[in-house]
Structures are given as C-alpha cells and as structure tokens.
Amino acid sequence: MAGLSSRSAVAIHALAMLAHRRGGSLTSAEIADSLDSNPVLVRRILGRLRDAHLVRSTEGRGGGWSLARNPRDITLYDAYAAVEGGRIFSRHTRPPSGACEVGRNIGDLLDAEFQNAERALEQQLGRTTIAGLLQRILAYDSEAKDH
C-alpha cells in the first residue's frame, strides 16, 4: 500500500528546526544536513511552505529561511496541506464493471469512507503545533541523554 510522500515529514522537520532557531534563520543546506538530504529537495519544500505563508526567505549574505508565523500558530496539518497535493485516497483508476453488484455500488461507499479517513487525518494533524512538537522533541532528546 502506498503512503504519503515524504514531503510532509521533510516540511515538518524543517519547520521544527526553524522553530528551534527561535527567530533566526537557517540555510537550506543546514536543514538538508539535518535531514541527510539534498538542499535542492529542501528548497523545493521550503518554497511550498513560503507559498503557504509558513516561512519566509531572505536573500544574500546572512540570508536564509525563517518562520513567518509563531510556531504555536503552525500545525502539522498546515505543513501537510502546504506540501501534499490532492486527495490521499482515490477510486479505481478505471471504473469497475456495472454488471457486477459490487462494482456498481462500491465507488460511492468508498468515497464516503475515504472522506471520513481524510477528515480524521486533518483533525489529528491539526491538534499538534510545531511548538508542541519541538517541545516533545527536546524532552525526548533530554530523556535519551539521561539513559
């Protein structure tokens, strides 16, 4: 079963790093280092986050990326919505047979189930802010160092 792309994870990672910077900026290369990824991929994701007004960029020497909003006001759903396109679930690629009782009726029923699942995902991701996630990340790191 195919899942979401990694764009959401990259976007949330970048937002958490920027929140940790507390008003400072980071370059796409610095963020890419933390992700062990390519700066070009990171810039693409940051561009989508900028289009959604979650981050801003500053050109030139000393420039980089910074949060455009308070991390308490950015949810995981905001990041998801900025970088993931379209619906998560979709119908069959080709219409099933109308001669079959299942094929005739499954589409509308699946649509309802898929919409409910997508709504649940939106609600869950909307409950967690970048600030809250960062707080948990730092607590987790602190606990790991204690053991």
Side-chain angles (χ1 to χ4, degrees):
M1 181 170 145
L4 292 174
S5 74
S6 63
R7 288 186 301 263
S8 292
V10 170
I12 292 166
H13 187 127
L15 291 168
M17 286 188 69
L18 293 170
H20 190 248
R21 186 49 68 116
R22 293 195 174 106
S25 64
L26 292 169
T27 66
S28 54
E30 290 171 316
I31 296 169
D33 282 345
S34 178
L35 285 157
D36 197 19
S37 184
N38 184 315
V40 173
L41 167 76
V42 172
R43 277 192 294 276
R44 251 186 246 134
I45 298 295
L46 289 167
R48 289 183 178 193
L49 294 173
R50 181 185 52 218
D51 293 345
H53 309 289
L54 300 176
V55 300
R56 62 178 156 257
S57 60
T58 307
E59 302 273 331
R61 189 170 185 75
W65 298 88
S66 59
L67 292 179
R69 294 176 15 203
N70 189 307
R72 287 176 297 208
D73 298 329
I74 302 172
T75 67
L76 301 188
Y77 179 72
D78 294 328
Y80 162 81
V83 300
E84 298 292 347
R87 299 182 63 182
I88 299 168
F89 302 106
S90 59
R91 282 188 178 205
H92 305 82
T93 54
R94 293 182 6 206
S97 170
C100 171
E101 187 174 25
V102 173
R104 255 191 325 272
N105 298 300
I106 196 166
D108 292 338
L109 297 171
L110 277 180
D111 283 348
E113 291 297 321
F114 291 167
Q115 286 172 1
N116 288 338
E118 288 175 356
R119 225 177 348 269
L121 174 69
E122 292 171 13
Q123 290 170 352
Q124 180 61 41
L125 293 178
R127 288 185 189 111
T128 303
T129 66
I130 294 298
L133 180 65
L134 178 60
Q135 185 177 14
R136 290 174 30 212
I137 291 167
L138 297 176
Y140 189 82
D141 189 57
S142 179
E143 287 175 19
K145 286 179 183 175
D146 291 342
H147 289 101

